[in-house]
Amino acid sequence: MERRPQLLSRLSRCRPEHLVPGMFLEAALTSVAARASPEVLERARRQISEGERLVENYRYPVAWMLGILDVIGQDAEARGGSYGEALYLTGRDAGLAYVRSTVGRMRAMVGSASGLHRSLEGIPSAASVAVTFGEHSYRRLSPNSGELIFKQDLIGVGWNVGMVVASTSTALALGADGLKFEATATDEDASSFVLRLSW
């Protein structure tokens, strides 16, 4: 799905104005704590500026998040796993945490009342509020399918796909096989990609 050189390429393009909410960083650290050793968790925490206390709705450098994701991916590879799968699982954990949040519960209520297309149509605007980079859009392909288009999203394909799939399928109670997906990177560093969804 995603490889370390792609993440490092995105990391090299990060600027101080490229920000993500504290919730993303907290979810990534929680995922590390659940899946890795205390030493790996400590390495992940060191990606955040020393002494910084994370606040869920404040914004922080996306470079910190990419540093955490890189620690996660390297640890997975060291244990014989996949770098990209580890990023996907971390995004999935974040998606599940989002559904449990106040905003996520509200989205679930709206989505269940208005249908899956309406719920997916809300993701681009939610992304533009959450992060300060990239372009996001959605288009319907059929009554039971659609695609999210991410352009120059510095977080990349792995984490974003995990986040979207987990939060959407959980919020709408779709079950394990209720939401099928396929992600295709459209540039070298996996910052631009298409996520096709069907149900």
Side-chain angles (χ1 to χ4, degrees):
M1 181 178 274
E2 188 173 337
R3 294 171 287 109
R4 186 170 190 235
Q6 293 171 312
L7 184 143
L8 295 179
S9 174
R10 296 193 308 272
L11 183 58
S12 73
R13 294 193 289 120
C14 292
R15 302 290 171 261
E17 63 271 16
H18 296 148
L19 305 171
V20 296
M23 184 200 92
F24 287 10
L25 295 164
E26 287 176 343
L29 290 172
T30 299
S31 184
V32 176
R35 298 177 189 280
S37 69
E39 294 79 21
V40 173
L41 177 59
E42 183 52 37
R43 276 199 348 253
R45 285 185 203 269
R46 285 199 302 263
Q47 304 306 308
I48 294 171
S49 183
E50 191 171 333
E52 188 76 39
R53 181 180 166 273
L54 295 176
V55 177
E56 185 177 298
N57 295 320
Y58 284 17
R59 289 186 178 176
Y60 302 92
V62 69
W64 294 2
M65 183 170 176
L66 292 177
I68 293 169
L69 292 176
D70 187 42
V71 168
I72 291 167
Q74 288 184 76
D75 176 61
E77 286 187 325
R79 292 184 288 122
S82 160
Y83 189 95
E85 180 71 11
L87 273 53
Y88 169 81
L89 292 173
T90 304
R92 188 185 72 181
D93 291 346
L96 296 174
Y98 173 74
V99 170
R100 291 188 292 268
S101 73
T102 304
V103 173
R105 286 193 305 270
M106 183 77 70
R107 178 179 168 231
M109 283 190 300
V110 170
S112 62
S114 58
L116 193 47
H117 277 300
R118 293 290 294 171
S119 183
L120 293 169
E121 286 168 351
I123 290 175
S125 61
S128 69
V129 169
V131 301
T132 62
F133 48 81
E135 297 174 32
H136 310 87
S137 60
Y138 177 74
R139 79 181 176 119
R140 295 177 188 222
L141 298 176
S142 76
N144 296 321
S145 66
E147 62 184 18
L148 285 159
I149 299 116
F150 288 67
K151 294 181 181 175
Q152 298 303 303
D153 188 300
L154 294 168
I155 301 172
V157 65
W159 188 90
N160 273 303
V161 169
M163 172 77 162
V164 168
V165 170
S167 63
T168 302
S169 57
T170 302
L172 301 176
L174 295 175
D177 296 321
L179 185 64
K180 295 174 180 53
F181 67 94
E182 178 187 353
T184 306
T186 57
D187 61 9
E188 277 189 38
D189 68 3
S191 63
S192 299
F193 58 94
V194 175
L195 174 57
R196 290 182 184 87
L197 300 150
S198 60
W199 54 93

